[in-house]
């Protein structure tokens, strides 16, 4: 009774202190008065859920969480009984934005520093110098045996204005005993409404679906890095259930008993993503779903398993098999495809080593080898990368070379397809009035130096194409 009374007083004090504050500051140990009003008076890491609850109750606001590792300490009902710790989660509430990636001195959100953490020559949206980690490894023993089922959870329909940004989410384990409950989906996050941006999901696991991420309803993923997650069945990286969007993200080196990458189950959309090096497949369109403007490459098994889904303006190359089209169902438009192991419904695409349709209505181009695509810098191998091949995988460039027959060879009218205005690299999707095939629109202005620079994308002088490569393109 006394404990409950003290907790109630603590909550009242917390409520009073943060009332009408727009930002709550949190560090691992806290500071000063620990009232959350500034970095000098930051709450400590054990107060994250209390901060979420109070900010939501007061009409909304933001949590700024400094670098360090944080772990949930209560379940979605506020129960702190450690005998039930596997149900502990950071429970997301309405009108709350949670930001990570802070050093603990910033005064505006765009002061968060970024750096090229994986040394691939690019600074991606998720590469924050100061890492804010939300971990499900409650015991710190490096195993999944007692880890939380979901590090973050959002399970109430139509909850508005949920955002997480700049966090690293790791070591969640949705491997509960009840096969038909939430506890077997979404080890990193189970989300119905959350907008997930510029986050890293790694080393999470689930039994049924969505080792790293499980989204449905209004949830979305944008500009995230999803890597080294696992699921016993489908979607080691991400599961989209009926509705949800994943875009502008890197889905790399995930694993699954049946599919390591992304599953779109009866719907969902994947836009402008690089999907590579996933075991047992890159994407599964299961009873629907849409893949548009993506590079799908160097996955084992198939790049895309397509059952009643649609693939638009996508590049699928150097997978063990490009596409497996189940029972001839599903459609492909305006894409570059290497390897197709069943007769497809393919329209206006460039393809090789597959059951090729010759009817003129499809307006397809047949290639003799992947070299005919004239990519700028494709990988030199098929299937998964070895350890020494990872740098080559990360630096691959699937843009079209200057003599590629896929340039201006796309569909004359794509207005009804609903394509994004920009391609996967941010270039205008249509140049010279006709769209190109594949995910990467050819850039008409070419920057060329004798030996080339940077990433050889030709987009600017810092990444100029080489004169030597031009001669063989």
């Amino acid at each position: 009774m006394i404990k409950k009374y003290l907790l109630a007083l603590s909550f009242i004090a917390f409520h009073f202190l943060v009332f009408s504050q727009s930002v709550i500051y949190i560090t691992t140990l806290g500071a000063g008065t620990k009232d959350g009003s500034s970095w000098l008076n930051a709450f400590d890491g054990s107060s994250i859920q209390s901060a979420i609850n109070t900010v939501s109750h007061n009409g909304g606001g933001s949590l700024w969480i400094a670098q360090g590792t944080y772990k949930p300490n209560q379940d979605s009902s506020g129960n702190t009984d450690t005998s039930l710790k596997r149900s502990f989660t950071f429970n997301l509430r309405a009108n709350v934005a949670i930001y990570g990636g802070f050093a603990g001195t910033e005064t505006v959100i765009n002061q968060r520093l970024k750096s090229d953490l994986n040394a691939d020559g690019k600074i991606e949206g998720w590469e924050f110098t100061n890492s804010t980690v939300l971990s499900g490894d409650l015991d710190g023993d490096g195993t999944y045996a007692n880890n939380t089922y979901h590090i973050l959870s959002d399970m109430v329909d139509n909850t508005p204005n949920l955002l997480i940004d700049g966090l690293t989410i790791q070591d969640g384990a949705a491997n509960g005993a009840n096969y038909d409950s939430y506890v077997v989906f979404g080890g990193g996050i189970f989300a119905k409404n959350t907008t997930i941006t510029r986050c890293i999901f790694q080393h999470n696991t689930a039994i049924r679906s969505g080792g790293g991420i499980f989204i449905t309803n209004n949830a979305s993923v944008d500009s995230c890095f999803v890597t080294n997650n696992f699921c016993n069945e489908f979607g080691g990286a991400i599961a989209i259930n009926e509705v949800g969007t994943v875009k502008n993200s890197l889905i790399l080196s995930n694993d699954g008993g049946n599919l390591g990458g992304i599953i779109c189950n009866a719907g969902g959309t994947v836009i402008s993503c690089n999907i590579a090096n996933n075991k047992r497949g890159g994407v599964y369109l299961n009873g629907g779903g849409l893949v548009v403007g993506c590079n799908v490459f160097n996955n084992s098994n198939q790049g895309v398993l397509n059952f009643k889904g649609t693939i638009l303006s996508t590049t699928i190359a150097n997978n063990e098999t490009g596409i497996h089209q189940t029972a001839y169902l599903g459609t492909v438009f305006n894409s570059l495809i290497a390897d197709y192991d069943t007769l497809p419904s393919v329209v206006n695409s460039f393809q090789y080593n597959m059951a090729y349709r010759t009817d003129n209505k499809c307006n397809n181009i047949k290639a003799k080898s992947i070299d005919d695509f004239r990519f700028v810098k494709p990988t030199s191998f098929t299937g998964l990368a070895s350890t020494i091949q990872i740098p080559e995988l990360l630096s691959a460039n699937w843009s079209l070379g200057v003599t590629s027959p896929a340039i201006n060879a796309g569909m004359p009218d794509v207005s009804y397809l609903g394509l994004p205005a920009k391609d996967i690299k941010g270039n205008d999707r249509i140049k010279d009035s006709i769209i190109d095939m594949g995910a990467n629109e050819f850039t008409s202005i070419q920057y060329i130096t004798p030996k080339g620079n940077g990433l050889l994308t030709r987009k600017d002088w810092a990444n100029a194409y080489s004169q030597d490569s031009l001669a063989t393109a």
Side-chain angles (χ1 to χ4, degrees), residues 86 149 173-179 181 183-185 207:
R86 297 212 64 199
Y149 296 129
N175 56 1
N178 188 344
Y179 188 78
S181 74
V183 297
V184 293
F185 301 92
I207 288 180

Side-chain angles (χ1 to χ4, degrees), residues 61-356:
S62 302
L63 275 62
W64 289 16
I65 307 178
Q67 62 181 326
T69 299
Y70 304 81
K71 300 179 182 182
N73 55 14
Q74 55 186 277
D75 67 14
S76 58
S77 301
N79 191 335
T80 60
D81 183 353
T82 56
S83 68
L84 304 173
K85 64 184 178 181
R86 297 212 64 199
S87 296
F88 288 0
T89 184
F90 293 114
N91 189 32
L92 302 173
R93 300 291 182 100
N95 304 310
V96 178
I98 302 176
Y99 295 95
F102 297 96
T105 58
E106 296 84 353
T107 57
V108 293
I109 199 76
N110 62 6
Q111 288 179 338
R112 292 179 294 176
L113 296 177
K114 292 183 178 179
S115 53
D116 183 11
L117 299 180
N118 64 357
D120 67 348
K122 298 174 286 186
I123 298 177
E124 306 287 0
W126 55 81
E127 290 188 302
F128 290 96
T129 305
N130 299 294
S131 182
T132 300
V133 178
L134 304 186
S135 172
D137 187 4
L138 303 180
D139 293 339
D141 60 3
T143 74
Y144 291 114
N146 294 304
N147 291 20
T148 184
Y149 296 129
H150 320 288
I151 298 167
L152 293 148
S153 59
D154 146 36
M155 297 186 182
V156 179
D157 291 340
N158 302 315
T159 304
N161 303 322
L162 304 180
L163 171 70
I164 61 170
D165 178 279
L167 303 170
T168 295
I169 294 102
Q170 64 186 43
D171 304 320
N175 56 1
N178 188 344
Y179 188 78
D180 295 317
S181 74
Y182 290 140
V183 297
V184 293
F185 301 92
I189 187 171
F190 187 111
K192 289 188 174 183
N193 311 278
T194 305
T195 299
I196 304 163
T197 63
R198 297 184 293 185
C199 289
I200 297 172
F201 287 81
Q202 61 186 12
H203 309 302
N204 301 287
T205 187
I207 288 180
R208 287 193 63 180
S209 196
I213 301 171
F214 183 94
I215 61 172
T216 187
N217 290 17
N218 301 309
S220 64
V221 177
D222 189 357
S223 302
C224 289
F225 180 33
V226 186
T227 187
N228 290 311
N229 302 280
F230 176 79
C231 181
N232 288 31
E233 295 186 8
F234 292 97
I238 301 174
I240 306 173
N241 189 51
E242 295 184 349
V243 181
T245 303
V246 178
K247 61 182 179 180
N248 305 320
S249 295
L250 174 57
I251 316 302
L252 178 74
S253 300
N254 301 279
D255 194 3
N258 294 305
L259 178 113
I262 303 174
I263 180 171
C264 296
N265 190 34
T269 304
V270 183
I271 305 172
S272 298
C273 291
N274 285 296
I275 304 167
N277 209 53
N278 299 286
K279 292 183 179 179
R280 283 170 278 278
V283 182
Y284 180 18
L285 300 178
N286 181 30
L290 171 66
V291 174
V292 54
C294 294
N295 292 322
V296 184
F297 59 100
N298 289 100
N299 299 281
S300 68
N301 290 24
Q302 63 280 320
V304 181
L305 176 59
N306 189 7
F307 175 62
K308 295 186 178 180
T310 301
I311 301 168
L312 304 177
S313 295
T314 287
T315 297
I316 303 170
N318 281 351
N319 304 280
E320 287 185 355
T321 296
I323 301 177
H324 178 75
Q325 190 106 333
T326 305
Y328 310 141
L329 297 171
T331 307
V332 182
F333 294 94
N334 209 68
S335 294
L336 301 178
I337 313 159
D339 279 318
Y340 218 131
D341 70 354
T342 51
L343 183 65
S345 175
V346 179
V347 179
N348 213 106
S349 294
F350 189 6
Q351 41 193 295
Y352 94 93
N353 195 25
M354 55 189 288
Y356 177 67

Side-chain angles (χ1 to χ4, degrees), residues 335-339 349-354 356-357 364-375 404-406 437:
S335 294
L336 301 178
I337 313 159
D339 279 318
S349 294
F350 189 6
Q351 41 193 295
Y352 94 93
N353 195 25
M354 55 189 288
Y356 177 67
R357 291 183 60 163
N364 294 318
I365 303 173
K366 188 173 184 179
K368 294 180 180 179
S369 76
I370 195 171
D371 294 337
D372 291 348
F373 292 133
R374 301 300 174 97
F375 294 123
S404 173
M437 291 178 175

